[in-house]
């Protein structure tokens, strides 16, 4: 924890120690058992045949250090360590986490996984589902996390290319941003619940606490922010059209950030929410009812019907929202997850020596190149 003593900026190191979750201190790493990642035949990386030869880029750009091994605490439920036809993904004792992997945000995704493992009481009981639109990322993940349980799923950009409209930031127009809409189709039918996480965050608490969140009758759970001006997420044309604005009739909609969600995939599949989201994207292409990428369709379908999760699980906006060069403070209260949503990413600011104070909380999980 010596690095925290060097932390300076909006508040003192003592303040950080009070605000952050007690479990910010990592569990001691130990030798882990053989990974239950699928090797060879069944399952494995799912790519179209003509995409298999795509290159990652220069090796220097993707030089990640190997993470320390992590092992379950004695009180953790045992998980199936055998790999037989990919059946281990159906183990009921697993915690399922879905994250996208792409070249631009790869460094953030690796840091996110590292943070989850470091603070989990039962790291061997976590199964990662990586959504990709580019090839050869599987080998990199396995070399960085040799003990990791994971599967890689190819998301075809063509599925959404004709549905995506221009946004306030070009990054929000990337097809992989919409892969979360298709988790119920991509993941195995036996996976009935998943935690979806963005690539620009770190978890500083035991992920099993988020996993155990009760959703009640709801399909998704997320921290809600009802004080936010909800009307700004849609155009004047939307609100002036009673047919469109009537989508929120009978609801009290609140803003929520789609970068951290607990999703009941069984309910999602039964109701067919993917198609509902796609229909709003089709309306957007015709009528231009919002400006913000993949978020508004989720608000249209789910806002007002979200199981509330403690705000500690998404301290978002640390990237300065859409204001380049701005630094943010933590919201009041305890912290279990730090989220650099917005245009500013901690790895870019650290490399440019223009880091915001809170970027120093991301740095210890960075496995890229040399140590900070």
């Amino acid at each position: 924890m010596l690095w925290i003593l060097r932390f300076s900026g909006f508040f003192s190191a003592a303040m950080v120690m009070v605000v952050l979750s007690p479990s910010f201190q990592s569990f001691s790493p130990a030798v882990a058992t053989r990974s239950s990642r699928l090797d060879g035949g069944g399952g494995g990386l799912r790519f179209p045949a003509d995409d298999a030869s795509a290159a990652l880029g220069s090796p220097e750009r993707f030089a990640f250090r190997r993470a320390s091994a992590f092992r379950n605490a004695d009180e953790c439920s045992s998980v199936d360590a055998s790999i037989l036809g990919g059946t281990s993904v159906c183990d009921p004792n697993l915690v399922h986490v879905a994250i996208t992997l792409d070249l631009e945000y790869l460094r953030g995704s690796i840091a996110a996984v590292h943070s989850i493992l470091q603070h989990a009481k039962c790291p061997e009981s976590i199964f990662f589902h990586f959504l990709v639109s580019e090839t050869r990322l599987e080998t990199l993940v396995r070399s960085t996390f040799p003990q990791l349980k994971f599967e890689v799923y190819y998301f075809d950009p063509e599925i959404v290319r004709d549905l995506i409209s221009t946004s306030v930031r070009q990054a929000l127009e990337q097809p992989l941003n919409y892969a979360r809409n298709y988790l119920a189709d991509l993941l195995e039918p036996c996976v009935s619940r998943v935690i979806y996480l963005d690539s620009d965050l770190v978890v500083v608490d035991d992920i099993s606490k988020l996993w155990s969140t009760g959703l009640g009758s709801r399909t998704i759970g997320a921290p809600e922010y009802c004080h936010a001006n909800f009307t700004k997420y849609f155009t004047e044309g939307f609100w002036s059209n009673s047919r469109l604005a009537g989508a929120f009739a009978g609801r009290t909609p609140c803003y929520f950030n789609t970068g951290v969600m607990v999703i009941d995939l069984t309910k999602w599949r039964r109701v067919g929410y993917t198609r509902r989201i796609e229909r709003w994207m089709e309306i957007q292409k015709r009528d231009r009812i919002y400006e913000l990428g993949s978020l508004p369709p989720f608000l249209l379908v789910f806002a007002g019907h979200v199981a509330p999760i403690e705000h500690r699980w998404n301290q978002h906006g640390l990237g300065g929202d859409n204001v380049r060069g701005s630094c943010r403070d933590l919201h009041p209260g305890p912290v279990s997850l730090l989220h650099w949503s917005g245009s500013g990413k901690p790895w870019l600011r650290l490399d440019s020596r223009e880091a915001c104070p809170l970027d120093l909380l991301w740095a210890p999980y960075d496995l890229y190149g040399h140590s900070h």
Side-chain angles (χ1 to χ4, degrees), residues 78-81 86-96 125 149 190:
S78 60
V79 294
D80 181 9
T87 56
S88 64
V89 71
C90 298
D91 190 316
N93 294 314
L94 291 172
V95 170
H96 295 276
S125 300
K149 293 179 174 67
C190 66

Side-chain angles (χ1 to χ4, degrees), residues 279-297:
R279 281 199 291 267
W280 280 113
M281 294 175 69
E282 291 166 356
I283 293 173
Q284 160 73 354
K285 291 287 285 188
R286 184 181 70 242
D287 297 333
R288 192 68 182 178
I289 59 175
Y290 55 79
E291 305 290 342
L292 277 174
S294 61
L295 168 65

Side-chain angles (χ1 to χ4, degrees), residues 16-297:
V16 175
M17 296 299 290
V18 170
V19 172
L20 289 177
S21 165
S23 62
F24 188 78
Q25 298 179 350
S26 62
F27 291 87
S28 299
V31 177
T33 59
R34 176 79 166 83
S35 168
S36 67
R37 167 70 190 95
L38 288 171
D39 295 314
L45 191 60
R46 304 171 184 178
F47 289 119
D50 61 355
D51 205 22
S53 61
L56 260 179
S58 62
E60 292 79 9
R61 184 182 175 192
F62 299 101
F64 289 96
R65 303 186 305 280
R66 177 172 293 189
S68 300
F70 297 91
R71 187 171 183 176
N72 282 356
D74 292 340
E75 60 267 32
C76 296
S77 300
S78 60
V79 294
D80 181 9
S82 65
I83 302 300
L84 297 172
T87 56
S88 64
V89 71
C90 298
D91 190 316
N93 294 314
L94 291 172
V95 170
H96 295 276
V97 178
I99 301 178
T100 59
L101 294 179
D102 72 319
L103 301 185
E104 185 176 359
Y105 287 87
L106 184 60
R107 188 167 167 186
S109 297
I110 294 296
V113 172
H114 190 207
S115 71
I116 292 169
L117 295 174
Q118 188 164 347
H119 295 287
K121 191 175 186 179
C122 306
E124 294 178 285
S125 300
I126 303 172
F127 197 103
F128 288 88
H129 303 265
F130 294 118
L131 313 176
V132 306
S133 292
E134 299 163 275
T135 62
R136 296 181 58 184
L137 295 176
E138 179 182 25
T139 300
L140 186 148
V141 172
R142 190 188 297 114
S143 64
T144 306
F145 302 104
Q147 289 78 34
L148 198 68
K149 293 179 174 67
F150 73 94
E151 181 65 271
V152 179
Y153 306 79
Y154 178 76
F155 178 70
D156 185 356
E158 295 305 316
I159 293 175
V160 294
R161 199 174 300 280
D162 291 337
L163 293 172
I164 297 175
S165 55
T166 56
S167 182
V168 293
R169 283 194 294 122
Q170 189 174 5
L172 300 177
E173 301 170 22
Q174 298 305 311
L176 200 57
N177 284 338
Y178 297 84
R180 73 194 83 187
N181 304 359
Y182 298 88
L183 284 168
D185 300 323
L186 292 168
L187 273 54
E188 290 78 358
C190 66
V191 180
S192 60
R193 170 183 281 224
V194 68
I195 297 171
Y196 176 82
L197 298 177
D198 272 352
S199 300
D200 51 358
L201 55 77
V202 292
V203 177
V204 294
D205 203 345
D206 188 349
I207 195 73
S208 67
K209 297 177 183 177
L210 180 58
W211 174 256
S212 62
T213 299
L215 300 183
S217 62
R218 307 306 192 190
T219 301
I220 69 170
E224 292 184 295
Y225 302 88
C226 295
H227 63 278
N229 179 9
F230 191 81
T231 61
K232 71 177 183 180
Y233 295 101
F234 301 94
T235 64
E236 291 184 7
F238 171 85
W239 292 114
S240 63
N241 186 317
S242 58
R243 181 179 59 86
L244 296 175
F248 293 114
R251 295 194 256 169
T252 305
C254 294
Y255 162 75
F256 64 94
N257 180 281
T258 54
V260 179
M261 296 184 291
V262 180
I263 305 174
D264 185 327
L265 294 175
T266 300
K267 291 178 182 175
W268 185 295
R269 295 175 181 122
R270 184 173 64 246
V271 176
Y273 283 116
T274 295
R275 183 57 192 142
R276 293 191 183 188
I277 290 173
E278 287 178 332
R279 281 199 291 267
W280 280 113
M281 294 175 69
E282 291 166 356
I283 293 173
Q284 160 73 354
K285 291 287 285 188
R286 184 181 70 242
D287 297 333
R288 192 68 182 178
I289 59 175
Y290 55 79
E291 305 290 342
L292 277 174
S294 61
L295 168 65

